[in-house]
Amino acid sequence: MAKETLSITDNRTGKQYEIPIEEGGVIRAAALRDIKTSADDFGLMSYDPAFTNTASCRSRITFIDGDKGILRYRGYPIEELAEKSNYLEVAYLIVKGELPDRKHYAAWESNIKTHTMIHENVKKFMEGFRYDAHPMGMLVSTIGALSTFYPEAAQIHDLESRRLQTRRLIGKVPTLAAFAYRHTRGLPYVYPDNSLSYTGNFLSMLFRMTEREYKPNPTLERALDVLFILHADHEQNCSANAMRSVGSSQVDPYSAVAAATAALYGPLHGGANEAVIRMLVEIGSPKNVPEFIKGVKEGKRRLMGFGHRVYKNYDPRAKIVKKIAYEVFEVTGRNPLIDISLELEKIALEDDYFVSRKLYPNVDFYTGVTYQAMGFPMQMFPVLFAIPRTSGWMAQWAEMVRDPEQKIARPRQVYIGEQTRHWTPIEHRPEPTMREDAVSDQI
Ligand code: ACO
C-alpha cells in the first residue's frame, strides 16, 4: 500500500523530509518549519493571501463539494432540508448536530421565543441612529451593544452560558433587524408576537400596521423560511472566518457576532444580491442582454450573481431560490426584472466564455428579485442574510471554543519593509517622497 506521506527535498541543503498526509489530502503547515538551512533558521512557511488553499479548522458542520454543486448541513442535503424542514429545526441541527425529536423541538422553540424581546434600553439605543441609517450598520452596532447587557456572556468556557447566549442571539436578531427596518421608515417598533412562527413573527415586526392581529401570508412566510434555511451556514466564508478569528481572542459571542455581521456587510459577501438588482435595473430590458454580455466578455463588466470561489457548478441554493421566486410572484405579482435574469442565465449558460470558466448562477442571482417582490428595500438584503446566519456563526464559534487545537488566530507575515534605520533630528531629514504603500501624500 502506498504511504500517506509527502517527500520533500530541500535543494538548498540537499536534505530530505517526509511529511504525513492526513485526512486524505492535508499537510500541516507547521511541518514546514522543520525545513531549515541552519539551526537558527526560522524554517519554511506557506504564503496564502486570502486563504485560498489553507484549512483553518476541522469542522463537522457544513460540507460543500463545489465541483459537484453539493451542500449539506451536518450531512443532510440542502434540497431535503429546504423541502421538508423549517428554519428553527435547521438552526437546532446546525447548533446541536442532530435533528430534534418532537420534545426537543418544542423545548428549543420555546427557549428561542423566550428571548425575542429586547431590553427597552436597546430600543432607546436604536432610536439614537440617524433617520437614514443603514439597517445593517444599525444591526452591527446593536448586536455589539448587547454584550454590555449580558456581561456573563464573557464566560465562554461555561457550557450553560454558551447555550444561553446562542438562544438569546437567535431569538433577538430578528427583533433587532425589524426595529432597524422600522427605524429607517420612521415607523413605531412592533413588539414580538410569540404566537407566530419564527419567520411569521419577523414579518409581523416588519410589516404590521394598525391591524389588531397580524396574519402573515403563508406562501411568503414559507418562502422566507426556506431562504433562511439556505443561508444558515456556508462553512469557512468571510464572516464565519471573522466569527472564529475574533472569537479566538476569547471575547464574548455578541462582540464576535458583531464582527461577523460587519464582514457580511461588504458587497463581496452579503451585499452581492443588491449589486445584482442594480445590474438588472441598468440592463433595463431582455433585449439589451446580448449587448451587456458582450461587455462582460470584453472584460468591461462582471455578471453579478454569477461565479463562486467554491462552486464550479450550479450553486444548489440558486436552483431552490429560482423556484421560490415563482411561488412568491404568485402572491406578489411578477417582478419584471426576472425576465432579464432568465435571459442572462440562458445566454450565459450557452456561451463558451462562461462555460469554459465554470461560471454558473450563485445564490445571489435570484434572491434579490425575490426579496424585492416581497417588499424589502435593497438595504435590508444583507440583514435578511445575517438573521439565519447567526445560527451558523454560533455553531462555528462553539466548535472553535471546544477545539483543543485552536488558539488565538494569529497569521504570520512575509515582512517586505525597511530593515533597521536610525532616527535623525527633523532638521536633517530629506523631504519625504511618496511611497508606494502610503495611504496618501496628503496629510
Ligand atoms: N462575470 C464575468 N466573468 C467572471 C465572473 C463574473 N461574474 N466571475 C468570474 N469571472 C471570470 C474572471 O474574469 C476570470 O476570468 P479570466 O480567467 O479570464 O481572468 C475567471 O472567471 C475566474 O474568476 P476569479 O475572479 O479568479 O474567481 P474568484 O473565485 O476569485 O471569484 C467571485 C469568485 C468573487 C464570486 C466572482 O465570480 C465574482 O466576482 N462574481 C460576481 C459577484 C458575485 O455574484 N458575488 C456573490 C458570490 S456568492 C456569495 O458570496 C454569497
Side-chain angles (χ1 to χ4, degrees), residues 148-160:
T148 64
F149 288 81
Y150 307 112
E152 78 281 6
Q155 307 306 318
I156 64 156
H157 295 298
D158 181 273
L159 174 63
E160 277 316 310

Side-chain angles (χ1 to χ4, degrees), residues 181 199 202-203 206-207 214 217-225 227-228 324-325 327-329 331-333 335 367-377 381 384:
Y181 168 77
T199 317
F202 177 53
L203 288 169
L206 287 167
F207 299 131
Y214 178 86
N217 177 291
T219 306
L220 301 186
E221 185 182 0
R222 176 64 191 156
L224 192 58
D225 206 58
L227 287 161
F228 279 3
I324 291 173
E327 289 164 15
V328 167
F329 298 161
V331 177
T332 62
N335 183 341
T367 47
V369 283
T370 314
Y371 290 144
Q372 204 181 40
M374 291 174 84
F376 290 109
F381 294 179
L384 295 170

Side-chain angles (χ1 to χ4, degrees), residues 231 234 267-270 272-273 275-276 296-297 301-310 312 315 317 353-354 357 359 362-365 385 389:
H231 287 89
H234 213 227
L268 294 187
H269 193 8
N273 47 13
V276 172
V296 171
K297 288 163 65 176
R301 302 290 305 269
R302 281 217 158 183
L303 175 49
M304 300 311 288
F306 255 67
H308 197 276
R309 172 63 61 76
V310 179
K312 300 301 167 198
D315 180 336
R317 301 169 301 172
Y353 175 93
F354 297 91
R357 289 172 177 78
L359 300 172
N362 61 49
V363 69
D364 289 319
F365 196 62
F385 198 151
R389 187 54 63 88

